[in-house]
Amino acid sequence: MASILRNTSALLIAHLAGRILAFGLLILLPRYFSDTEMGGYLWAVAVTNIMAISVVFGMHVPLVREISVARDKARDYISNALAIRILLSLLAMPILIGVVYLLDRPQEIVSMVIVLGGTEILNVIAQLFRCTFRAFEEMKFEAIIVITERIS
């Protein structure tokens, strides 16, 4: 019971901190961006989130489940998932940049998409570790990753 309470508390704290940091970002950004720049930023976030969905490919829940069932095969599962995500990232990023250039967006937005796309790829790889920590019931490490991700 103590393990469940400890893991739940760690995740709750991490997600609350993440939400508060995201909310703070949404409050601060309009102070430094004009209306047009803010719209471009939100467009870039939306486009890169679509890319991230295609790279993640719905592997979170099955990966956690399979690692939890067969912990001795965790290394194989993680290495296979990492290979798939790297391959999909290498395919998705040029497509994303091509779409942005095809839509003839300003250079500022192209730069935002490239930076946000790179951070999404790092986030997708970090999510693999979060899946591993969740499967091994070590939520404190997942909490650290979530908070670090939000701060960055």
Side-chain angles (χ1 to χ4, degrees):
M1 186 68 163
S3 172
I4 293 172
L5 185 60
R6 186 176 58 248
N7 287 333
T8 303
S9 299
L11 284 179
L12 176 67
I13 291 168
H15 287 288
L16 281 176
R19 297 293 180 206
I20 290 169
L21 289 168
F23 183 67
L25 183 66
L26 283 176
I27 290 172
L28 289 177
L29 281 179
R31 291 178 165 225
Y32 300 104
F33 285 173
S34 68
D35 293 342
T36 306
E37 292 170 334
M38 190 66 188
Y41 171 76
L42 293 175
W43 185 86
V45 168
V47 170
T48 54
N49 281 336
I50 291 170
M51 178 209 63
I53 290 169
S54 66
V55 171
V56 170
F57 214 59
M59 285 188 267
H60 292 325
V61 175
L63 188 60
V64 171
R65 183 181 61 234
E66 293 302 320
I67 292 173
S68 296
V69 170
R71 291 184 177 199
D72 56 326
K73 295 182 180 180
R75 179 173 289 184
D76 294 333
Y77 293 145
I78 295 299
S79 63
N80 289 338
L82 181 62
I84 290 169
R85 287 185 181 192
I86 288 173
L87 178 67
L88 290 174
S89 296
L90 291 174
L91 291 172
M93 194 65 176
I95 291 171
L96 176 67
I97 294 170
V99 166
V100 173
Y101 276 114
L102 186 67
L103 293 174
D104 198 30
R105 295 292 178 177
Q107 186 59 39
E108 291 174 336
I109 294 176
V110 173
S111 299
M112 283 185 211
V113 168
I114 291 170
V115 170
L116 290 172
T119 59
E120 281 298 329
I121 288 171
L122 292 175
N123 183 29
V124 162
I125 292 170
Q127 285 175 354
L128 274 178
F129 296 105
R130 289 171 54 192
C131 289
T132 306
F133 296 139
R134 191 168 283 191
F136 284 100
E137 298 176 4
E138 292 291 337
M139 306 311 185
K140 61 186 171 199
F141 298 119
E142 181 179 353
I144 292 168
I145 291 174
V146 168
I147 292 171
T148 304
E149 170 192 322
R150 292 296 179 178
I151 289 173
S152 66

